């Protein structure tokens, strides 16, 4: 558990997700604009879905962290491990930030935390799977050193049932640390 400063000087608490977060987690997902919920893989406005996510996190199947401001959740980040032997050196990253906290470097902060966990678990390569219209996600992953691996046309359906292309990006741990250093140096933040 730790407090982190954002680009605008405000502070968030970053810690692992726990069952005590069920209500604020539900509030967070239900409060997201439809556009940001449209491309999520599961319907996180449902209590049973959110409860299952928390149980998976507590069981260690997924590393899940949240950013909190008081009792409010303002972001959620995850690293999902693979149970398949041939993919056991890879993991998938997911991150979502509340609209009013976007563009304050919170997404980058969560991604950095997720990479720390990836390193501890000996993950060699982190993969991001996003829907083609998630342009902000594509930008942040590009700015942190992810590269485009593939675009699968009409591979997924969004929450409205509309087919969308699935964009697959990836980054090795070595590439990530070097890009993160450049990212913060260029932005002259947080160390000045
Ligand atoms: C993608 C998302 C997590 C980014 O979070 P964020 O906290 O706003 O991102 P940051 O402030 O850390 O951005 C870091 C850098 O990424 C790039 N970036 C992030 N959002 C961007 C946008 N909308 N347009 C252009 N560049 C963007 C910029 O280079 C930015 O640095 P800068 O603000 O100094 O220019 C957020 O937009 C979100 O939750 N979107 C909806 C859900 C989603 O698409 N999740 C990804 C699925 S895995």
């Amino acid at each position: 558990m730790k407090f982190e400063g954002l680009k605008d000087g405000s502070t968030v608490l970053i810690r692992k997700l726990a069952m005590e977060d069920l209500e604020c987690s539900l509030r967070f997902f239900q409060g997201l604009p439809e556009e940001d919920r449209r491309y999520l893989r599961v319907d996180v406005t449902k209590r049973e879905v959110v409860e299952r996510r928390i149980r998976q996190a507590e069981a260690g199947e997924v590393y899940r962290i949240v950013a909190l401001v008081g009792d409010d959740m303002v972001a959620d980040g995850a690293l999902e491990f693979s149970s398949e032997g041939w993919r056991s050196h890879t993991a998938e990253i997911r991150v979502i930030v509340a609209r009013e906290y976007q563009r304050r470097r919170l997404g980058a902060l969560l991604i950095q935390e997720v990479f720390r966990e990836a390193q501890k678990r000996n993950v060699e390569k982190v993969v991001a799977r996003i829907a083609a219209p998630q342009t902000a996600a594509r930008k942040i992953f590009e700015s942190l050193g992810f590269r485009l691996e593939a675009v699968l046309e009409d591979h997924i359906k969004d929450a409205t049932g509309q087919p969308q292309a699935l964009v697959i990006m990836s980054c090795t741990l070595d590439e990530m640390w070097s890009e993160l250093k450049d990212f913060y140096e260029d932005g002259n933040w947080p160390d000045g």
Side-chain angles (χ1 to χ4, degrees):
M1 183 189 294
K2 58 180 171 181
F3 285 97
E4 291 280 357
L6 303 182
K7 193 178 179 182
D8 63 343
S10 61
T11 305
V12 294
L13 175 68
I14 310 262
R15 65 159 166 76
K16 281 172 85 169
L17 178 72
M19 201 45 92
E20 65 185 272
D21 300 316
L22 178 60
E23 296 306 328
C24 69
S25 194
L26 252 179
R27 258 199 333 271
F28 169 70
F29 286 115
Q30 289 173 349
L32 289 174
E34 217 176 301
E35 179 62 16
D36 286 355
R37 263 195 277 119
R38 185 169 171 183
Y39 307 106
L40 300 182
R41 287 171 305 170
V42 288
D43 185 356
V44 278
T45 60
K46 289 188 178 145
R47 176 176 289 268
E48 64 270 24
V49 173
V50 174
E51 220 175 305
R52 192 171 60 236
R53 293 168 99 243
I54 300 178
R55 263 190 263 106
Q56 284 171 333
E58 290 192 330
E61 292 163 31
V62 178
Y63 174 71
R64 205 175 282 285
I65 50 173
V66 289
L68 296 158
V69 175
D71 291 334
D72 291 325
M73 188 176 291
V74 295
D76 177 288
L79 185 68
E80 301 180 356
F81 307 101
S82 173
S83 55
E84 296 169 358
W86 69 350
R87 283 205 295 137
S88 57
H89 63 295
T90 71
E92 184 172 338
I93 190 168
R94 309 201 64 85
V95 59
I96 185 153
V97 175
R99 269 287 159 97
E100 62 275 28
Y101 274 81
Q102 289 181 9
R103 298 310 291 265
R104 302 193 201 184
R105 297 274 170 84
L106 181 51
L109 194 63
L110 288 186
I111 293 171
Q112 187 178 341
E113 285 302 313
V114 164
F115 265 78
R116 275 192 223 286
E117 185 66 15
Q119 190 164 41
K120 277 194 218 155
R121 306 269 198 127
N122 295 323
V123 169
E124 292 166 25
K125 182 180 178 182
V126 174
V127 174
R129 290 191 302 158
I130 57 178
Q134 290 178 295
T135 47
R138 191 157 168 172
K139 293 267 186 223
I140 191 172
F141 287 127
E142 273 168 0
S143 73
L144 293 173
F146 280 68
R147 59 169 172 265
L148 182 66
E149 294 264 15
V151 178
L152 307 183
E153 293 300 334
D154 293 341
H155 194 70
I156 52 171
K157 283 193 177 168
D158 66 28
T160 70
Q162 188 72 25
Q164 302 286 352
L166 177 70
V167 176
I168 302 174
M169 303 178 80
S170 78
C171 185
T172 65
L173 274 269
D174 289 347
E175 285 165 342
M176 179 69 177
W177 293 128
S178 120
E179 284 294 331
L180 265 174
K181 195 169 158 280
D182 292 348
F183 178 76
Y184 286 124
E185 277 174 6
D186 289 351
N188 204 23
W189 180 87
D191 295 320

